[in-house]
Amino acid sequence: NAVDHPRMTLRLAASQAAAGWRVGVVGLEAPEAALPPGEQALHLPAPTSGGLLARWGHLRRVASSIRQYALRVRPRLLVLHTPELAQLALELQRRLGCALWYDAHEDYVANARYSSAYPTWQRALRAFAAARAEQRLRPALAAASYAERCYGNRLGLPHGCWLTLENLFAPPATVTPAPPIGPEPLLLTCGTLADDWGLWSSLQLWSELNQTRPVHWAVVGQGAPLTLARLTAEVERLGLTQRFTGVMSTRPVAYATVVGWLQRATALTALYRPTAAIAERVPTKVFEAVAHRLPVLLTPGGPGAPLNARWRFAVEMAPPWRWADDAAACRAAAARVRATLEAGFAGLYPESVPPAVWQWSAEAGPALVALTEREIGAPEAS
């Protein structure tokens, strides 16, 4: 993960640092990153490409840097944020005698098996590697945390040694303001850029909206090289480059930049296709949108829909993944969004959403601190 990764650095590490523990964060270099108070960081070089073999080679190269850093600072608690580093984490746990905590950001096995973000030939290999890594970790774990309620206690740890820490919103230390884009409404698509995450549905909706009124579209996030190239070509083919802004990379975009665009946007697209990998999840971007009181365009019955049923922050539309083969359905969806835009999204956010629903520090932060203290003692004793 990048050294400014929202979950690793702005949620878990920041809460532990604020409670008084000395915290070190190891991640890929992020030149724009401003870390929260109390955190020190080891910036690792980013891989030169995103291929599977290149990624494996990069992991081997940076392992020695991570090992040297850990042996120097000698942590009492090692929090692992990716199964790719499982072997190194187990080695360090044995050498240092420290407690090992695994923070499961995702269901990596399901992601690899079902996600369109990976080439088909890689999916079985990635799923096997993720499952194997988690199996090896389990006997050595003192604690685990999960980013989604639907993951339950997947690793089967004893009561009191695990908890769910949803990806509730925690602001970055600084925000990079998005540039002005003109008077037209701004649709934002951010995060993972892939089919199942609604990228092409967002493109179709935006294109249809522009048949009757100017609407700008900003795409801010990380995607595969072929996906980014295809998106750029499609925007050019549509003749809409003047109404498009792409802050896109094969590496994670700085979180300060993402939040800057969230603050600028008129509405956020979250047109997920509810595959077996993501059907019951609540995407981070949903909590980010609610934190900014930002209207969301959502898939009915998909990720985030149960939360919307209670708090009504989103417009839910007919299954977006069908629009590619059903132009009439896409036109109907665009007409609905157009009318909602002209009405100023009246009817959304009929009541204030309590911070406990969307804010990290309201509930998740104290739970994290309590489990940390159980494993290594109070900050003054560590």
Side-chain angles (χ1 to χ4, degrees):
N1 296 305
V3 78
D4 67 339
H5 188 275
R7 181 174 181 83
M8 179 173 72
T9 306
L10 300 180
R11 299 186 187 109
L12 275 74
S15 292
Q16 291 167 329
W21 286 285
R22 291 183 295 118
V23 179
V25 174
V26 178
L28 300 180
E29 58 189 355
E32 300 179 40
L35 299 184
E39 295 183 31
Q40 58 174 291
L42 172 65
H43 292 251
L44 300 170
T48 54
S49 68
L52 193 61
L53 291 177
R55 190 178 183 93
W56 174 250
H58 175 260
L59 283 170
R60 294 186 64 185
R61 288 191 296 274
V62 302
S64 62
S65 297
I66 300 173
R67 186 181 294 107
Q68 290 171 18
Y69 177 75
L71 294 175
R72 177 167 58 85
V73 300
R74 305 194 69 81
R76 296 187 61 201
L77 175 65
L78 178 61
V79 184
L80 177 65
H81 288 268
T82 171
E84 292 176 306
L85 294 173
Q87 181 176 343
L88 178 60
L90 290 169
E91 175 199 328
L92 292 172
Q93 191 260 351
R94 288 191 298 267
R95 293 181 66 174
L96 298 170
C98 58
L100 181 59
W101 176 326
Y102 176 49
D103 181 51
H105 294 198
E106 304 181 40
D107 183 339
Y108 294 99
V109 177
N111 270 12
R113 186 173 294 155
Y114 301 109
S115 172
S116 63
Y118 302 124
T120 302
W121 70 270
Q122 290 187 12
R123 293 178 189 172
L125 182 59
R126 285 180 178 268
F128 172 79
R132 177 62 179 155
E134 291 188 343
Q135 288 169 2
R136 293 185 63 199
L137 281 170
R138 180 180 172 182
L141 292 178
S145 49
Y146 306 97
E148 302 282 351
R149 295 188 185 279
C150 62
Y151 297 164
N153 179 22
R154 198 175 68 226
L155 294 171
L157 268 64
H159 178 74
C161 295
W162 67 277
L163 72 171
T164 299
L165 298 173
E166 292 185 284
N167 284 320
L168 307 179
F169 178 69
T174 61
V175 173
T176 303
I181 51 90
E184 63 265 31
L186 171 63
L187 289 185
L188 174 65
T189 299
C190 62
T192 301
L193 306 179
D195 184 9
D196 292 343
W197 277 255
L199 178 64
W200 306 117
S201 299
S202 298
L203 171 71
Q204 291 171 302
L205 177 63
W206 168 67
S207 174
E208 188 62 41
L209 286 169
N210 272 282
Q211 299 301 312
T212 56
R213 64 167 299 168
V215 175
H216 201 94
W217 186 33
V219 177
V220 182
Q222 179 183 14
L226 289 178
T227 298
L228 304 187
R230 177 187 166 193
L231 178 59
T232 301
E234 284 292 304
V235 172
E236 291 176 353
R237 184 186 65 80
L238 292 168
L240 291 172
T241 54
Q242 297 303 311
R243 297 177 189 168
F244 175 78
T245 300
V247 184
M248 307 178 298
S249 176
T250 56
R251 295 172 52 194
V253 173
Y255 192 59
T257 298
V258 175
V259 173
W261 281 99
L262 284 164
Q263 294 177 350
R264 176 79 68 187
T266 306
L268 178 75
T269 69
L271 303 176
Y272 290 86
R273 182 171 185 159
T275 67
I278 58 178
E280 298 181 23
R281 290 167 49 179
V282 183
T284 304
K285 68 179 68 176
V286 168
F287 294 123
E288 292 168 341
V290 172
H292 291 89
R293 203 175 171 83
L294 181 64
V296 181
L297 307 180
L298 203 64
T299 301
L307 201 62
N308 183 52
R310 170 62 182 88
W311 299 106
R312 294 174 55 195
F313 53 81
V315 177
E316 295 187 19
M317 292 173 287
W321 60 89
R322 297 179 182 166
W323 295 345
D325 301 314
D326 190 344
C330 187
R331 285 194 296 271
R336 185 179 180 196
V337 172
R338 189 179 303 115
T340 309
L341 271 170
E342 292 170 355
F345 289 97
L348 297 190
Y349 291 99
E351 57 182 309
S352 295
V353 184
V357 173
W358 55 266
Q359 187 180 61
W360 171 267
S361 60
E363 180 178 339
L368 166 72
V369 168
L371 184 54
T372 305
E373 186 166 334
R374 169 182 169 139
E375 296 303 329
I376 61 171
E380 59 270 17
S382 64

